[in-house]
Amino acid sequence: MKITIASGKGGTGKTTISTNLVSYLSTLKQSVVLADLDVEEPNSALFLRGDLEKEQVSYKMIPKWEEADCTFCGECADVCNFNAIVALSDEIIVYPELCHSCYACSELCPTDSLPMTSERIGEIKAFTSDGFSFIEGRLDLGQEMAVPLIAQTIDYVDENFKNHIKIFDAPPGTSCPVIEASRGSDYVILVTESTPFGLNDLKLAVETMRVLNQKFGVIINRYGIGDNGVETYCADENIEIITKVKNDREVAKLYSKGELIYPKIGHFRDSLDEIVTFIGGLKCEK
Amino acid sequence: MREVVIISGKGGTGKTSLAASFAYLEGSNALVSDCDVDAANMHLLLDANFRSKEDFFSGDLAVIDEDICINCGKCDEVCRFDAIDVIDDQHRVDFISCEGCWYCSRVCPTEAISMVKQKAGDLFVSDIKNGSKMVHAKLGFAAENSGKLVAKVKQEAKILALKEDKAFVITDGSPGIGCPVISSLSGANLVVLVTEATVSGLHDLKRVHKLVKTFSYESVCIINKYDLNEEMSQKIEIFLEKEGIKLVAKLPYDDTFTKALALAQPIVEYSSDGELSTLVKESWEKIKTIIEENDK
């Protein structure tokens, strides 16, 4: 069972829901693992104290020019559709940050002068905590492409945690990174808030889920602030609202300190219970 | 013309509310650009009218002509993105996975694969309620390259600002540390880092500031919700001092943010005399003074 927690808008409480949910599920004796796929700004580890179990460097493949046999024919630069190669009369320059690792230059080079080599893009860290594991992908600063690292982090979790409930904390937005984090999941939970911003970005996220043909539902966080636009929209579109998490300054305070919420706030735990029941229902459907 | 870019590593810190407030205060002196194209919101606060629209193309998509295709599988062999599926004995392209690298089309023995330009989004120029204009965009579904669309938004905003002799371009930047935010920052005269007094606020501030430093942009900081956790706020202030980043405002945890948002108004419009608005106005004045001093 794989569940992705996503949200169009940033700062709606994705990470708060994910981290508390995984911890709470473990107290209910469930085998559960959390993967932080917000690789540009991974934050889960700030809330879940754990011991570093394993650490591995993540790579992408890029061509590396070897001068010896190169005839400077320029084919490599011609076939690269990402402008990642410039062919001069006496030098071939590769721009790794633009390379999409398609291998075309390398395999179409008549003299095999551009073998693919690995370049570091970030790291994957695995932690163990009280009764559960969590995995974090962390993109190196200056790296522009998050998707390959997200894919590798998901692969890591799939290989190492076959029979667990897998919770994926997705990056914000609606473009490639969140699609990568959602498309292989059984269900996507969209966390939003009842404001015009929350609604605007929820609509974009819903559009994305529908094109992906992905099953999804909504959690309204900080319920009670703002307006009722999100509720009206969900009712009109027949979108299930899994739970409404009450707006509460005490929740924000605990969050600010990096503490888990459910051990201290009853209404928050009640919302988690609703999510857990909902997930239970999904398992039966499977 | 001077460009101020407002960013925050973390989402939900109040970046857009502040950027819209600065734009509202500056009125027709400032052109606005919304570079958070993945989930653009600023148009809601500034009452944008979507006056003109332009298609934005970026990247290509492989299309297989099934009448010519002999299903040899060569395309599937070379594709590194797992974008070729065989459905009902026919090789087909999964448009979500295709990166548009052209490799398949170059090796297809029957030339059955053509590459078509993919629309990545829409670019808009709008009139906004303070008497100025804004450039903004909507990224299309499964479109990549939001960095390229960001660059396009910025370029259009710059051209328009120069043409109309604006004093400022106020840019609402993208979240994260990847391609879109790097694009958002280009050409900034001053970067405003918006953070909040939470553990993730500090964590993300440190990461995004490293990026800003790499590109040698000068930055100032606004701490939002400082009274949520004053100890954390102090930690942030110590970090700012160490890095030589000026603190231009500490804003309280205040319902006004959300109330203004619910009415789709910038804070300074919603309660122009309120405590929060006064602090926001002061911070914008400080930002302008810093820019002026740098110009000397």
Side-chain angles (χ1 to χ4, degrees), chain B residues 270-285:
Chain B
Y270 173 76
S271 77
S272 62
D273 300 325
E275 189 200 339
L276 187 63
S277 289
T278 310
L279 290 168
V280 172
K281 283 178 194 167
E282 282 171 12
S283 68
W284 177 240
E285 288 308 318

Side-chain angles (χ1 to χ4, degrees), chain B residues 39-285:
Chain B
N41 284 138
M42 211 176 175
H43 61 274
L44 297 168
L45 292 182
L46 295 174
D47 205 10
N49 68 351
F50 295 77
R51 186 163 51 88
S52 75
K53 178 181 143 177
E54 190 186 312
D55 290 346
F56 175 78
F57 291 90
S58 173
D60 303 317
L61 173 70
V63 178
I64 298 176
D65 184 337
E66 295 178 7
D67 294 334
I68 309 173
C69 172
I70 53 169
N71 285 302
C72 66
K74 188 82 190 149
C75 49
D76 192 16
E77 252 170 56
V78 300
C79 181
R80 291 310 197 286
F81 308 105
D82 212 8
I84 309 281
D85 298 326
V86 183
I87 302 167
D88 301 333
D89 297 327
Q90 172 60 54
H91 285 73
R92 293 169 207 265
V93 178
D94 166 14
F95 77 99
I96 296 168
S97 298
C98 177
E99 290 265 324
C101 73
W102 285 62
Y103 197 0
C104 58
S105 94
R106 292 186 206 281
V107 298
C108 173
T110 60
E111 296 185 10
I113 305 178
S114 50
M115 302 298 297
V116 296
K117 281 255 163 265
Q118 236 185 338
K119 187 177 156 181
D122 296 309
L123 184 76
F124 303 100
V125 178
S126 295
D127 300 314
I128 51 178
K129 64 179 161 196
N130 63 349
S132 189
K133 294 192 176 80
M134 80 178 279
V135 181
H136 52 126
K138 186 183 178 212
L139 196 67
F141 166 72
E144 204 194 353
N145 289 332
S146 54
K148 281 188 191 164
L149 186 49
V150 167
K152 178 86 180 155
V153 169
K154 284 192 63 113
Q155 187 197 358
E156 287 298 315
K158 208 161 205 171
I159 292 169
L160 205 57
L162 289 171
K163 205 171 88 186
E164 304 199 349
D165 204 20
K166 301 283 189 200
F168 295 101
V169 172
I170 295 174
T171 296
D172 187 12
S174 327
I177 56 150
C179 185
V181 68
I182 293 171
S183 255
S184 302
L185 289 169
S186 85
N189 296 91
L190 190 68
V191 176
V192 181
L193 303 162
V194 182
T195 188
E196 61 181 29
T198 65
V199 282
S200 16
L202 176 59
H203 172 268
D204 293 357
L205 172 70
K206 282 184 179 169
R207 246 165 105 75
V208 81
H209 174 255
K210 250 191 206 164
L211 186 75
V212 170
K213 216 163 73 173
T214 311
F215 292 99
S216 306
Y217 294 113
E218 187 182 349
S219 54
V220 299
C221 183
I222 294 177
I223 304 176
N224 195 4
K225 304 176 200 169
Y226 84 91
D227 52 349
L228 199 56
N229 186 337
E230 302 213 18
E231 197 187 323
M232 189 53 65
S233 178
Q234 263 169 22
K235 275 190 192 165
I236 295 174
E237 286 176 62
I238 291 166
F239 169 76
L240 296 177
E241 202 171 312
K242 201 182 87 208
E243 293 290 331
I245 307 165
K246 282 194 188 104
L247 176 65
V248 293
K250 275 164 72 176
L251 307 177
Y253 183 89
D254 191 327
D255 283 354
T256 311
F257 257 96
T258 321
K259 285 180 185 155
L261 201 55
L263 293 176
Q265 290 180 350
I267 302 152
V268 291
E269 182 189 13
Y270 173 76
S271 77
S272 62
D273 300 325
E275 189 200 339
L276 187 63
S277 289
T278 310
L279 290 168
V280 172
K281 283 178 194 167
E282 282 171 12
S283 68
W284 177 240
E285 288 308 318

